[in-house]
Amino acid sequence: MHLLTADQIESFTRFMQNHDTFLIAGHKEPDGDCVSCCISMSKIAAYYKKAAVLLNAGPFKRTEISAYAPLFRNSVPFMSQPERDVCGLIIVDCSELSRLGEIDGDLAGLDTFIVDHHRTAQVSGTGTIIDATAPAAACIVQQLYEATIGSPSAEDAHTLFFGLGTDTGFFRFLQQDSAEAFKAAARLVEAGANPREIYNEITAGKTWNTRKLLALMLTRAERHCSGKLVVTWETIEDTRTYGQNGRDSDALYSALLATSGVEAVLFLRQETEHNCTAGFRSRDKCDVSAIAAKFGGGGHKNASGASIEGRIETLLPAIIKEFAKVL
């Protein structure tokens, strides 16, 4: 990952100094990285002695982040025009207002600073830090925190390590170019973060229903593209039976990608009668972010997602066709 330049840090510092209050928002259906970045940004605002409100449309489905849900609200507090003029919007772990989801209130027109690490981000400018080489947005926020405040408290180190651990699959996804990420992790451990405790926080506490749903997804899985692609799906009836909270998609992807000959995994969930969410994962060379982008989504080379209008039975053949072009 790239280290922040002096100009990027100065740009962020100037943004923090030029506003009296802040709204800090992350993408809908947040994960640990998103939550970690939002909370850590609020600590930076507190260092400047400026009020901040955490926004997220939710839902907080993941077991490991459910305890953080009360820190966030899904509506913009009322502000007069003079108050809006001095309020800054900080968007983390995504780069488009549309990715924030259904937040009640008007965010358009607010002076905005974006911190993101997704390959498909399309924005740039002095109010933007996007580094697709960073394995987690928390890596970027950590640099801003350290440049602003210094070494984090044990509590803040825990929060930042939680974000880093989430998006790196607890370092399983890192490669030979990841020395800076490991150095960042080491600084957090020195500051008081407990890797074993955080690993248990991320991975433990799954409900029995999630184990049963995982078994169903594995049983339903099919192989395509000469066995290189594995596809599985979840119906609306499955969701009614097993619930929405505490999903363990990481275990599903890990199990399928560990299969000999498999290079990519596609998971489709029928959210409503007319809309699906898709998860794309790959082992190495297959760039699933490019495939996700064809369906209005995006993300990382080896981990991406999309929300797509349609039904499983019609979307599966279309997405498999795109995978066939590269596999």
Side-chain angles (χ1 to χ4, degrees):
M1 80 180 187
H2 300 311
L3 297 179
L4 295 182
T5 66
D7 287 344
Q8 288 174 316
I9 294 172
E10 181 184 356
S11 174
F12 175 75
T13 301
R14 188 164 55 248
F15 183 85
M16 299 301 296
Q17 293 171 339
N18 288 346
H19 298 85
D20 294 344
T21 59
F22 297 94
L23 300 176
I24 303 172
H27 59 77
K28 62 183 179 180
E29 295 193 28
D31 59 5
D33 189 29
C34 177
V35 167
S36 165
C37 290
C38 289
I39 294 173
S40 299
M41 277 293 188
S42 73
K43 297 300 183 71
I44 297 176
Y47 174 79
Y48 282 98
K49 296 182 173 54
K50 298 183 179 182
V53 173
L54 301 181
L55 297 175
N56 200 283
F60 287 72
K61 295 180 181 179
R62 300 168 186 261
T63 303
E64 67 271 21
I65 64 169
S66 59
Y68 297 104
L71 300 177
F72 293 80
R73 55 185 294 172
N74 62 3
S75 61
V76 179
F78 173 78
M79 292 183 287
S80 64
Q81 188 56 53
E83 289 172 327
R84 288 179 63 87
D85 291 341
V86 295
C87 180
L89 172 62
I90 301 174
I91 299 177
V92 295
D93 204 27
C94 68
S95 56
E96 303 88 13
L97 284 175
S98 60
R99 285 280 287 121
L100 300 182
E102 298 299 321
I103 294 176
D104 185 23
D106 185 16
L107 293 175
L110 291 174
D111 194 16
T112 303
F113 199 99
I114 294 170
V115 176
D116 193 15
H117 71 130
H118 292 97
R119 290 168 59 88
T120 50
Q122 299 295 321
V123 296
S124 61
T126 56
T128 302
I129 299 176
I130 296 178
D131 179 11
T133 69
C139 289
I140 306 172
V141 174
Q142 180 183 346
Q143 293 180 72
L144 294 172
Y145 184 111
E146 291 170 336
T148 304
I149 302 175
S151 180
S153 65
E155 178 184 354
D156 292 350
H158 179 106
T159 301
L160 287 163
F161 199 106
F162 180 79
L164 174 61
T166 296
D167 257 27
T168 62
F170 223 81
F171 308 103
R172 298 195 318 275
F173 307 145
L174 298 184
Q175 301 185 64
Q176 68 272 17
D177 59 351
S178 303
E180 291 299 337
F182 280 105
K183 291 176 184 177
R187 294 196 301 274
L188 295 176
V189 173
E190 289 176 344
N194 184 324
R196 180 177 181 179
E197 178 183 309
I198 295 168
Y199 178 81
N200 289 333
E201 183 179 344
I202 292 173
T203 60
K206 308 301 183 186
T207 65
W208 180 247
N209 269 4
T210 66
R211 306 302 90 186
K212 301 291 285 185
L213 179 61
L214 177 60
L216 177 62
M217 298 297 99
L218 291 171
T219 302
R220 187 176 284 167
E222 299 175 348
R223 300 182 76 170
H224 296 267
C225 304
S226 300
K228 296 178 181 179
L229 172 68
V230 176
V231 173
T232 190
W233 62 92
E234 178 183 332
T235 67
I236 292 177
E237 185 57 35
D238 295 331
T239 305
R240 293 194 186 107
T241 301
Y242 297 103
Q244 298 187 46
N245 295 327
R247 298 308 182 87
D248 195 8
S249 56
D250 184 56
L252 174 65
Y253 294 128
S254 295
L256 294 176
L257 286 172
T259 307
S260 177
V262 172
E263 296 183 16
V265 173
L266 164 65
F267 172 61
L268 271 182
R269 178 186 296 126
Q270 192 77 50
E271 299 285 358
T272 69
E273 290 294 337
H274 306 290
N275 185 265
C276 288
T277 54
F280 306 82
R281 297 294 187 276
S282 64
R283 286 176 58 85
D284 187 19
K285 296 180 181 179
C286 180
D287 184 355
V288 292
S289 71
I291 296 175
K294 293 179 181 293
F295 296 91
H300 308 288
K301 176 184 176 183
N302 300 122
S304 292
S307 179
I308 315 171
E309 186 175 341
R311 295 188 57 81
I312 290 174
E313 54 267 30
T314 55
L315 290 175
L316 272 180
I319 301 175
I320 292 170
K321 183 178 179 180
E322 294 300 326
F323 271 102
K325 295 177 181 178
V326 295
L327 292 179

